[in-house]
Amino acid sequence: MFGPVRVQPETRYTAEVVVLVTSLGAKRTEFNAGKRAKDLLEIKGVHHKIIDFNRDARQAGTGESENKAISKLSEDGKLRSGTNNDLILPQVFIDGQFVGNATDLQGLEDDGLLDNILMRKACPSCNSSRRTPDITECKRCPACWEPFQEILPGEMTIKQKLQEFHDLHDDVEYDEDEEEEPFEDDMMHSMTAMPTDMDGRSRSGYGDARAGVQYTPEERAILAAAEFQISDQVQYWSDSRHRWMCAVVDNIRLKDCKVVYDLNCKRGAQADKIKAYEDAEE
């Protein structure tokens, strides 16, 4: 079976994350992939619910909740199977939506998309940022209309995991009412925010705030002539997800004499991977 919680879960990640794995070491490929997915989530401090498809392990552990999750996913037709009808493992679900395997999960992290999905600020399926964080009020994505539905509501909760963590680490204190510190993307956004003109698009003040770079008038003219400007809504091609993702331009800068875009989902995006936003409802 999988070990106890080693990293304290962060309460800012409110989405339900369910990971289907196998604890059978004989299935080495599936076992190792499941461990990668679990380790990524745990290192980030994401509470996740492990569903072990090793029946013997379920009977020896929290079998009731795990069997309930398996039954629900089966009834809803969400379980993915391979060519021989063998179950593909691991499988990751966020608020009831299938997001892929360990590689897909890592891709979301690499593209800077995972945090907003976990905080219920973006849809796991289409990455639309029009989602309302309260799952009781926003039951479907307003862009792709995929439903948000927890697989095990009220079971295997973060509160239980926090208690488990504290039982193992008596010297760690946790205050549920403690104010969250701003996370990296929020701080980066405030650092790169630029003044705007009448149409709301930034035409001045370009620079790489992280490196303390200030551009010459000629360089600023190049940036001002860029196809997209700060606050523009665009679409970004994700190599790891193999599809276009909705994004917003946070900053524009020069890198190796070429214009690159800092998006809300990807820093330093190349111009050839960005296109004008196309509304999903059109």
Side-chain angles (χ1 to χ4, degrees):
M1 286 294 289
F2 296 90
V5 179
R6 294 167 293 177
V7 178
Q8 178 169 308
E10 296 189 25
T11 55
R12 66 189 178 107
Y13 296 131
T14 54
E16 182 201 50
V17 181
V18 174
V19 185
L20 311 186
V21 298
T22 178
S23 60
L24 287 175
K27 296 186 176 182
R28 186 171 300 276
T29 300
E30 293 89 343
F31 176 84
N32 289 337
K35 187 176 185 300
R36 288 199 306 273
K38 178 180 178 294
D39 287 347
L40 186 157
L41 293 168
E42 187 160 342
I43 289 170
K44 281 181 66 67
V46 179
H47 170 57
H48 51 288
K49 304 175 181 181
I50 297 294
I51 307 300
D52 192 345
F53 267 80
N54 175 8
R55 182 172 295 276
D56 291 337
R58 293 205 308 275
Q59 291 174 347
T62 56
E64 184 177 351
S65 294
E66 292 179 321
N67 288 330
K68 185 185 296 185
I70 294 170
S71 297
K72 180 173 178 56
L73 290 169
S74 298
E75 292 171 1
D76 294 344
K78 292 184 176 181
L79 294 178
R80 266 55 174 184
S81 300
T83 53
N84 297 325
N85 209 30
D86 292 332
L87 196 67
I88 298 173
L89 293 173
Q91 296 184 32
V92 183
F93 295 85
I94 300 180
D95 279 342
Q97 295 186 17
F98 176 72
V99 298
N101 56 22
T103 302
D104 297 319
L105 187 68
Q106 184 65 58
L108 287 172
E109 173 70 2
D110 293 343
D111 284 344
L113 303 173
L114 189 56
D115 273 14
N116 278 345
I117 292 174
L118 293 171
M119 291 187 290
R120 289 178 170 165
K121 293 181 178 180
C123 172
S125 291
C126 71
N127 195 42
S128 169
S129 59
R130 289 184 286 173
R131 181 181 182 185
T132 302
D134 188 350
I135 195 172
T136 60
E137 295 182 3
C138 185
K139 296 184 178 181
R140 287 184 179 273
C141 173
C144 68
W145 209 238
E146 283 292 319
F148 305 126
Q149 185 179 31
E150 292 188 0
I151 297 170
L152 289 172
E155 299 186 46
M156 302 169 69
T157 65
I158 186 173
K159 184 176 181 180
Q160 294 169 337
K161 286 297 180 182
L162 285 168
Q163 185 60 54
E164 177 186 332
F165 181 87
H166 298 149
D167 289 344
L168 294 172
H169 306 81
D170 292 335
D171 57 332
V172 177
E173 295 183 358
Y174 172 73
D175 182 3
E176 288 187 346
D177 297 324
E178 183 179 354
E179 184 177 355
E180 295 176 2
E181 295 181 0
F183 59 98
E184 183 177 356
D185 279 353
D186 285 340
M187 292 188 289
M188 189 66 68
H189 182 79
S190 64
M191 291 172 65
T192 57
M194 303 296 177
T196 58
D197 61 13
M198 292 297 290
D199 66 357
R201 293 152 66 101
S202 176
R203 301 296 181 183
S204 62
Y206 298 103
D208 189 345
R210 291 168 294 172
V213 174
Q214 291 298 321
Y215 294 119
T216 65
E218 292 78 13
E219 291 172 330
R220 287 154 62 93
I222 294 174
L223 293 169
E227 182 178 1
F228 304 107
Q229 296 295 318
I230 294 170
S231 298
D232 279 357
Q233 192 166 6
V234 297
Q235 289 184 302
Y236 163 71
W237 176 258
S238 168
D239 288 332
S240 60
R241 298 286 285 176
H242 305 294
R243 61 185 175 92
W244 291 98
M245 314 293 291
C246 298
V248 176
V249 178
D250 281 347
N251 190 31
I252 312 170
R253 53 192 172 89
L254 293 177
K255 181 179 181 181
D256 298 328
C257 300
K258 294 182 179 180
V259 173
V260 296
Y261 297 86
D262 288 338
L263 309 177
N264 63 335
C265 66
K266 180 73 173 181
R267 302 295 172 185
Q270 302 294 323
D272 60 359
K273 291 190 175 183
I274 300 174
K275 69 177 183 178
Y277 174 77
E278 298 174 3
D279 196 318
E281 295 181 346
E282 292 182 352

